Amino acid sequence: MKIAFIGLGNMGGGMAANLVKAGHAVNAFDLSDDALSAAKANGCETFTDAAEACAGVDAVVTMLPNGAIVKSVYEGSVIGKAPEGAVLLDCSTIDVATAKDVIAKAEGAGYDMVDAPVSGGIAAANGGTLTFMVGGTDKAFNRAEEVLQAMGKAVIHAGDAGAGQTAKICNNMLLAITMIGTAEAMTMAKKLGLDPQKFYEISSQSSGYNWSLNAYTPLPGVGVESPADKDYQGGFATGLMLKDLRLAMEAADTADASTPLGRHAKELYEAFAEDNGGLDFSAIIKTL
């Protein structure tokens, strides 16, 4: 397929490169010259105009910072610029309302479109092992699936338009809560005199089992290798976790959903992000 890829940041650059590795021809666009240079080195054809990148393609993939930019890019550079038969895939993490609005506009113009946010950090984006949560019609999902499979290990149809974003923000709210709880428990065990490695060995095989402990241990030198062992560099930045928590709380207000732990997690990450927004989100253990 010929695919336009708009947004070549920390996640998008690796995703576009994996599309090339899968045999697709990729038209790449970003505002950053460095990002475009990296994309070119990875086999993409680069463009300095997003609309030009969308000309004559079979699919458009976007990976952008927020809902306002997603809406602007689709209204200004994708809808009406990409061929009407192209399938559109927004892999950004944005608010549910904007995702639904953009998809409705795209469908009104004759396109099939999905919202397909991802789970997995930079390493997963580079390695092609992302999980995609996809919202859209059955037809749109079936068309998008081939593109997404080239970038991930799992592609799951969550439901109608916006369902992908709903799954993403609920998942990451849960992740924030479990990371804070894991950090609290590990720190408390250590302060009570229990060897942190022994706590890991016990809890990781008992009812305390959870992904934050077993697969992303927040204490250096304990459990599996994680960003904690690299001074909390790489992985999933605290600033991005805070973005997702804010989206989750906005959605909770809209749905009149009670999320007391989610709200407290947002408050804790807001305080931590003031000076540590670039550190991996597991670095929240530093506050304990």
Side-chain angles (χ1 to χ4, degrees), residues 1-3 14-26 42-44 126-128 145-152:
M1 298 175 68
K2 189 172 185 180
I3 302 169
M15 293 165 69
N18 282 318
L19 288 173
V20 174
K21 290 177 185 176
H24 301 298
V26 178
N42 287 327
C44 300
N126 292 335
E145 190 172 17
E146 179 184 355
V147 178
L148 297 174
Q149 284 177 337
M151 301 182 286

Side-chain angles (χ1 to χ4, degrees), residues 197-223:
Q197 179 62 32
K198 288 298 180 184
F199 174 76
Y200 169 82
E201 291 173 7
I202 294 166
S203 193
S204 66
Q205 299 182 71
S206 59
S207 56
Y209 177 105
N210 72 86
W211 189 87
S212 294
L213 174 68
N214 288 58
Y216 213 84
T217 318
L219 196 64
V222 179

Side-chain angles (χ1 to χ4, degrees), residues 253-285:
D253 289 340
T254 300
D256 194 27
S258 178
T259 55
L261 290 180
R263 290 190 184 281
H264 191 44
K266 180 180 80 75
E267 292 167 0
L268 292 174
Y269 272 105
E270 280 177 335
F272 184 60
E274 288 183 7
D275 298 315
N276 302 284
L279 294 181
D280 182 76
F281 81 106
S282 63
I284 193 77
I285 197 171

